[in-house]
Amino acid sequence: MRTRRLLWIWSFLALPVLFYSAIRFYPTLEAFYLSLTNWDLLSDPEYIGLENYKRLFADPKFWQVFRNTFLYLIIGTPVSLILAFVIAYFLDRIRFGHTFLRALYFLPFITTASAMAWVWRWFYQPAPTGIINNFLGSLGISPIPFLSSVELALPSITFTAIWAGLGFQVIIFMAGLRAIPSTYYEAARIDGLNDWQVLRKITLPLLKPTTVFLVVFSSIGFLRIFDQVYNMSSIDPGGPLGSTKPLVLMIYQTAFSSYEMGYASAQTVVLFTILLVISLLQLWIMRERG
């Protein structure tokens, strides 16, 4: 009976396992191999060992891109999670228009990233084209160079990415809040706990699994940011002066502009390692604290 059950289980799992082996696992292993070669898509790959990695770690542009990528992570993840929780916490208490407001927050998440990036690029333009600077000018405030400033370009794009993913995080937090049994809150009220004590001692601890999921999911998203940067700085992708270029954009340019596929594969392996380490580290830290 047990053997028959295992046969049925693996019969259903065979197709997705084969699919992921062909679509996910094989290309990943192939990238590891190509990172040890010199390949331009025209000639056969030439094995060169670790030369691509030596070149990568000696390249000052890589370290600037590495810094930019982690700035997206460090700024975007905590800000987006705090905003999403605050919105979800108060939205969960609203009864009138709750469904409409929830759909309104979720709408940016289902909007095409390219279209959304171009709209925000239009908002950020100098006056009189840009809505934001046009409004600031009407108040007598000097225009802000959102996308042309080395200091402001990265935070401006990060804000756009936060806004784009906020709706998904709000919905997940609300699902986590709804999953908390009401008996905990009733017992807390009987014991005389105020709203802050209920939040700190009941809501936040019981939201730990939801928070762990969103931290890992959001971190991966910000480490792999590409659409917003590419479309909002399309005249100089990753500009100005490379101040907004993330690692994914560097991989794209190396592969499809310079046709250095081996070097691009080495960059991909580095990104894969960063994603794996960050995700495992966050899971370990948050579960240990839990």
Side-chain angles (χ1 to χ4, degrees):
M1 191 69 181
R2 184 178 179 182
T3 303
R4 184 180 299 176
R5 185 179 300 172
L6 286 173
L7 287 174
W8 273 107
I9 291 172
W10 282 106
S11 297
F12 283 108
L13 289 177
L15 186 59
V17 167
L18 289 173
F19 174 80
Y20 276 99
S21 297
I23 302 299
R24 296 286 188 181
F25 301 143
Y26 174 74
T28 301
L29 295 175
E30 187 71 11
F32 277 92
Y33 165 70
L34 290 176
S35 69
L36 304 175
T37 66
N38 181 22
W39 186 39
D40 59 1
L41 289 177
L42 299 176
S43 58
D44 294 331
E46 177 189 355
Y47 180 80
I48 57 173
L50 299 176
E51 290 301 318
N52 284 326
Y53 294 98
K54 293 178 182 178
R55 174 187 171 189
L56 182 64
F57 293 130
D59 186 357
K61 292 182 179 179
F62 165 74
W63 292 110
Q64 181 185 9
V65 168
F66 185 85
R67 171 184 170 274
N68 294 342
T69 303
F70 270 86
L71 282 176
Y72 286 117
L73 171 69
I74 293 169
I75 297 172
T77 300
V79 172
S80 63
L81 288 178
I82 292 171
L83 279 175
F85 173 74
V86 172
I87 293 171
Y89 181 76
F90 289 103
L91 187 59
D92 188 54
R93 299 186 169 195
I94 296 175
R95 295 294 174 261
F96 179 76
H98 172 83
T99 304
F100 172 75
L101 290 173
R102 187 171 58 181
L104 200 63
Y105 276 108
F106 192 71
L107 188 62
F109 183 74
I110 61 176
T111 304
T112 304
S114 299
M116 178 271 299
W118 276 93
V119 169
W120 274 98
R121 181 178 177 176
W122 170 47
F123 287 168
Y124 284 147
Q125 291 300 304
T129 305
I131 292 179
I132 297 176
N133 276 318
N134 206 21
F135 174 73
L136 294 177
S138 66
L139 299 177
I141 301 174
S142 301
I144 300 174
F146 290 105
L147 299 178
S148 58
S149 168
V150 174
E151 291 79 17
L152 295 178
L154 190 143
S156 299
I157 293 176
T158 305
F159 173 80
T160 305
I162 291 172
W163 176 82
L166 191 64
F168 175 79
Q169 296 174 344
V170 168
I171 295 299
I172 298 300
F173 267 129
M174 289 188 65
L177 289 170
R178 294 289 176 91
I180 300 176
S182 59
T183 52
Y184 289 105
Y185 295 114
E186 294 169 1
R189 297 303 179 193
I190 293 173
D191 290 340
L193 273 67
N194 57 37
D195 289 341
W196 168 247
Q197 291 172 323
V198 170
L199 175 65
R200 185 169 57 89
K201 296 183 178 181
I202 296 177
T203 305
L204 291 178
L206 292 178
L207 273 179
K208 186 77 69 175
T210 304
T211 306
V212 170
F213 166 75
L214 285 177
V215 166
V216 175
F217 183 87
S218 301
S219 298
I220 292 173
F222 282 107
L223 286 172
R224 296 172 60 240
I225 188 171
F226 173 81
D227 297 326
Q228 288 85 3
V229 180
Y230 186 79
N231 288 283
M232 295 180 72
S233 59
S234 59
I235 297 176
D236 177 24
L241 301 176
S243 60
T244 62
K245 183 182 292 186
L247 190 51
V248 175
L249 180 56
M250 184 180 188
I251 294 169
Y252 173 81
Q253 292 176 333
T254 303
F256 300 107
S257 296
S258 303
Y259 297 102
E260 298 180 90
M261 305 306 292
Y263 191 40
S265 296
Q267 296 168 3
T268 304
V269 170
V270 171
L271 176 61
F272 171 80
T273 305
I274 293 172
L275 290 171
L276 181 63
V277 171
I278 293 293
S279 301
L280 292 177
L281 186 62
Q282 288 175 337
L283 286 171
W284 178 74
I285 291 175
M286 299 200 74
R287 285 178 179 175
E288 283 294 314
R289 288 181 178 177

